[in-house]
Every structure is written in structure tokens, then in C-alpha cells.
Amino acid sequence: MRHLTFLLLGLLLFSLSGCGYNQIQKNEEAVFRSWADVEATYQRRADLIPNLVETVKAYAAHEQETLKAVTDARSRVGQMTLSAEDLNDPAKMQQFQAAQGNMSGALSRLLLVAENYPDLKASQNFRDLQHQLEGTENRINVARQRYNQAVQTFNSSIRTFPNNLTNNFLLKLDRKEPFKADAGAATAPKVSF
């Protein structure tokens, strides 16, 4: 009888190792880590903007509306945070993305100011900050892509057999929301001189 109990316990443990429980947990942690990377890159951008704005102010005082838009967008971005639980909520993800989209739009207008004012473009400080900002935007893009990959891996892991049984009966985890393109992002911006 005792051997039968150990045999059944052994079979149960062996069958649980193939149920995906640990893998689902690892995949969810990868989503959280990837999201933290996205937030860190946004924070880097938010930290750079005050320096960028101060540099631009020195050269383009008459472009206060653009600078104010950047400052306001930065403020709104700073107020918008997402928790790990919010990654399941499409509405909260959309609000977060909208705030980041407003920031990107304000920064685009700021860069147009630089194109229109050669003295501003010639400023070494501005060029250095512009390169840092460009690098940060690239980092944001990479972090978003990595986040979406982690979300795809996680969502697949909770929806495929036998992991879906483990999730349905034990974990009950919801799908995570990926980053989506802003409305109109498929249309190339017009550049005119």
C-alpha cells in the first residue's frame, strides 16, 4: 500500500511538471519585467525633457507654445502610471498610450522648431540632447517590442494545451494587453519644406 502511495505521488508530481505551471509563472514575470523596461525608458525620456526644454528656451523664446506643450505633455505622462494589474485592462493601456502619444507629438513639434531655426540646430547642447532624445525614442521602441513579445509568449502559454487547463483550474490569469499603434500611425507623416 505504501509503495502504491509513493507511486501515485510520483506520477502526480511527474504529470504536474508537464502542466506548464512554472512556465506560465515565468512568462508572466517576463511580462512584468518587460513592462518595467518600458517604464524605465519612458522615465529616461521624462528626465531628459527638462534639460531639452531649457536649452531650447534659450534659443527660441518666441516658441513658448511648443515648449509649453512639451512641458504639459511631460506633466501628463508623469501622472499616468500603470500597475501590473492594469496590463490586463485595454482601456488603461489605451490611456497610457494616448499620454505617451501626446508626448511624442509635442516632441515632434519641438524638433520642427529646431529645423526652422538654424541657430537652435547649431547649438551643441541642443544637438547632444537631440541625440540623447533620439536614442531614448529608439530604446522606447525596442522596449515596446520586447514587451509585446513577452505578452505574446505569455498569452500563448495560457491558451495552449495543457497549460490552458493549468491556467483555467489553478492560476486563472488573464491575457495581457500589448502595445498597439496609435490611430493614424499607418499613415506616413507629411514632410514639407
Side-chain angles (χ1 to χ4, degrees), residues 7-84:
L7 180 61
L8 288 175
L9 184 60
L11 284 173
L12 179 64
L13 290 174
F14 179 73
S15 67
L16 284 177
S17 68
C19 72
Y21 183 89
N22 289 335
Q23 191 59 50
I24 292 171
Q25 298 294 328
K26 289 178 186 176
N27 291 344
E28 186 176 40
E29 289 302 317
V31 169
F32 296 150
R33 184 196 68 237
S34 296
W35 182 250
D37 291 344
V38 169
E39 288 182 321
T41 54
Y42 281 137
Q43 184 62 51
R44 182 179 190 275
R45 177 171 71 177
D47 292 344
L48 281 175
I49 288 173
N51 294 329
L52 179 60
V53 169
E54 289 304 314
T55 301
V56 173
K57 277 183 182 178
Y59 287 91
H62 55 286
E63 289 294 332
Q64 290 299 316
E65 181 179 322
T66 300
L67 298 174
K68 184 174 179 345
V70 170
T71 304
D72 291 346
R74 179 184 180 270
S75 175
R76 284 190 299 278
V77 164
Q79 294 170 0
M80 181 69 186
T81 60
L82 285 179
S83 67

Side-chain angles (χ1 to χ4, degrees), residues 51-52 54-60 114 117-131:
N51 294 329
L52 179 60
E54 289 304 314
T55 301
V56 173
K57 277 183 182 178
Y59 287 91
Y117 297 97
D119 289 341
L120 181 61
K121 278 184 9 184
S123 164
Q124 183 63 42
N125 289 337
F126 181 79
R127 279 187 279 156
D128 290 345
L129 289 168
Q130 187 175 20
H131 290 298

Side-chain angles (χ1 to χ4, degrees), residues 45 66 69-70 73 99-111:
R45 177 171 71 177
T66 300
V70 170
Q100 294 299 334
N102 289 338
M103 173 67 103
S104 294
L107 292 174
S108 294
R109 289 189 299 278
L110 183 63
L111 294 176

